[in-house]
Amino acid sequence: MQTWSLVSICVLLSIIARWGVSLNSYSGAGKPPMFGDYEAQRHWQEVTYNLPIQEWYFNTTNNDLNYWGLDYPPLTAYHSWICAYLAKTINPEWVELHKSRGYESTQHKLFMRTTVLVADLLIYIPAVVLYCLYLTDGSSKKKVSVMFCFLLYPGLILIDYGHFQYNGVSLGFALWGILALGLGWDVLGSMAFSLALNYKQMELYHALPFFCYLLGKCIKTGLMGRGLFLLVRVGVTVLATFALCWLPFLAEPSQAMQVVRRIFPVARGLFEDKVANTWCSLNTLIKIRSILSGDSQLYLSLACTLLAVLPSCIRLLTKPTFWHFKLALVNSSLAFFLFSFQVHEKSILLAALPACLLLNDLPLMALWFLQASTFSMLPLFLKDGLLVPYIVTSLGFLFFSIYLLSALDHCSEDKLRLGAYNKLFCWVLKMDLAFIVRWKFYISIAAMVGLSIAAAVLIAPPHLPDLFPVLISTTAFLHFLGTFIHFNVVQFSEPPSRKSQKKSN
């Protein structure tokens, strides 16, 4: 009873934090003609409510795809339709065809912000609570502490409640899938993750670990017996879920192909803006887009992504434990973010979700990465007028994670999983790796604070207008690359303890 009281208090505090951020500005507020992501979500409601389903993804006189055309899978469109139906009931002007373009009002902002919170309350927050209570080791107080820090992750709050998106829906479905697999409900987990994929195609970042974990489990169980039966059940579940989501578009092949073309726009190029991935960081030294053709860029990113994700997936396939599954989710999503095609800065949230799963096992490393992931989106937050929410949520998350999870106290080589590094470097020189990691963390936080202040206060030289975005993205890239290497090393080392290994199996 006391545990659930603490859970209720923590959930309430996280809701207050979310609503506090939502009182601020949003993407593209008062900035015609395209406005921003807030208008994109509103426009999708306008389109899905007023046009027949066959026109949602096609360029017509009533649906200009150059003005925030739908470019997410069908489940996003259905969600927009539901929100539009509610909007039409409250105020028809909010979704009136053509005339509602760029609509802004206090009442409409309240409605849109509420739809995000309701989606979180229905999908994301319950998944976080159940994961932390049932799949996290430790006392009840420790589980609630992990849950509170999980819910306070500033990156997701600032993007969904500040910038304005519905990332909590796809991440929530993915987390339900992870939770189900952790509890041994493989078929339900497959269905939940299929829903995540049908809400946002970027959930492909997590697809290979799901596939390898389930396939490895089938092989381990025996492909001539129970393993084959499980494989068939999972396959049928995935196909049925996709078929139901895509059913209105399957009548004509051209309909389905148009949806696919919209959700995978390869013509946009290798990267956009200043993203903290390999290609954008490398582009400051080598102008990749000038040297390579569009097709060459696509093939290069595909090859690098597959090579980066391969070791982690092979390890998971041969050792399909829940511990390796969690690490593979981090490694796969980071591999996609660092090396794949057409990456947006907000895609780092896909790596942040599995990193949150490790807050209990590797608190310092998880906290460090999550702080860097929020920092990497600072140029976007500054553009949207979210500097104060960025400071408050980041400091709050840092404080509570260090205090409640004792992140800086868990700095021994054993708890940081640095044993593999000792084996690699012991023949060169004796080093106190835990001491080095702790000081690297302090320096890293100081660098992020310094760059945040500089980007907010200073004006870049006229000949270097993108100086601060480039410095921020490059700094964050180095953090992400280091995290990717570290978690791959951890995945190839031993699990945290026999107790955790037993529970994972």
Side-chain angles (χ1 to χ4, degrees), residues 244-263:
L244 285 173
C245 291
W246 285 70
L247 192 59
F249 305 98
L250 297 179
E252 297 180 17
S254 59
Q255 285 277 338
M257 286 307 301
Q258 176 64 8
V259 178
V260 172
R261 281 192 290 269
R262 288 297 300 165
I263 64 179

Side-chain angles (χ1 to χ4, degrees), residues 375-421:
F375 166 74
S376 72
M377 297 181 282
L378 177 59
L380 182 64
F381 299 145
L382 292 175
K383 184 179 177 182
D384 293 340
L386 297 171
L387 176 62
V388 173
Y390 163 76
I391 295 171
V392 173
T393 55
S394 296
L395 289 177
F397 177 73
L398 186 64
F399 170 77
F400 284 115
S401 297
I402 291 175
Y403 176 71
L404 295 176
L405 304 182
S406 304
L408 292 176
D409 296 333
H410 295 167
C411 282
S412 66
E413 291 186 6
D414 179 55
K415 291 185 176 180
L416 290 172
R417 314 287 175 246
L418 299 176
Y421 295 96

Side-chain angles (χ1 to χ4, degrees), residues 126-127 130-132 134-135 174-185 322:
L130 292 177
Y131 172 85
C132 293
Y134 290 101
L135 292 178
L175 187 52
W176 276 108
I178 295 165
L179 174 65
L181 294 191
L183 295 173
W185 303 338
F322 194 63

Side-chain angles (χ1 to χ4, degrees), residues 27-140:
S27 169
K31 297 178 181 177
M34 292 300 290
F35 301 94
D37 274 354
Y38 177 93
E39 167 63 11
Q41 302 290 341
R42 189 217 58 79
H43 180 65
W44 293 348
Q45 295 174 19
E46 172 195 343
V47 168
T48 53
Y49 186 85
N50 291 288
L51 301 181
I53 198 168
Q54 293 78 13
E55 293 184 23
W56 287 359
Y57 290 91
F58 280 88
N59 195 57
T60 64
T61 53
N62 289 322
N63 186 22
D64 181 8
L65 293 182
N66 291 320
Y67 183 81
W68 299 117
L70 259 171
D71 53 4
Y72 284 119
L75 212 56
T76 290
Y78 305 149
H79 180 210
S80 296
W81 181 85
I82 293 171
C83 292
Y85 184 84
L86 297 172
K88 180 75 173 181
T89 304
I90 299 170
N91 187 342
E93 292 182 359
W94 294 351
V95 289
E96 189 174 358
L97 190 63
H98 300 311
K99 293 183 180 180
S100 62
R101 182 173 291 193
Y103 189 96
E104 293 178 319
S105 73
T106 304
Q107 293 78 15
H108 185 251
K109 177 184 174 182
L110 176 64
F111 167 76
M112 295 289 278
R113 297 297 200 191
T114 304
T115 61
V116 179
L117 182 59
V118 170
D120 269 7
L121 288 172
L122 291 175
I123 300 172
Y124 182 75
I125 292 176
V128 172
V129 172
L130 292 177
Y131 172 85
C132 293
L133 292 183
Y134 290 101
L135 292 178
T136 300
D137 292 330
S139 64
S140 297

Side-chain angles (χ1 to χ4, degrees), residues 411-442:
C411 282
S412 66
E413 291 186 6
D414 179 55
K415 291 185 176 180
L416 290 172
R417 314 287 175 246
L418 299 176
Y421 295 96
N422 262 336
K423 293 177 183 178
L424 288 173
F425 299 119
C426 66
W427 58 276
V428 180
L429 71 166
K430 281 286 183 181
M431 297 183 292
D432 185 352
L433 292 179
F435 176 81
I436 294 172
V437 168
R438 192 184 296 110
W439 273 101
K440 283 177 67 177
F441 173 75
Y442 295 145

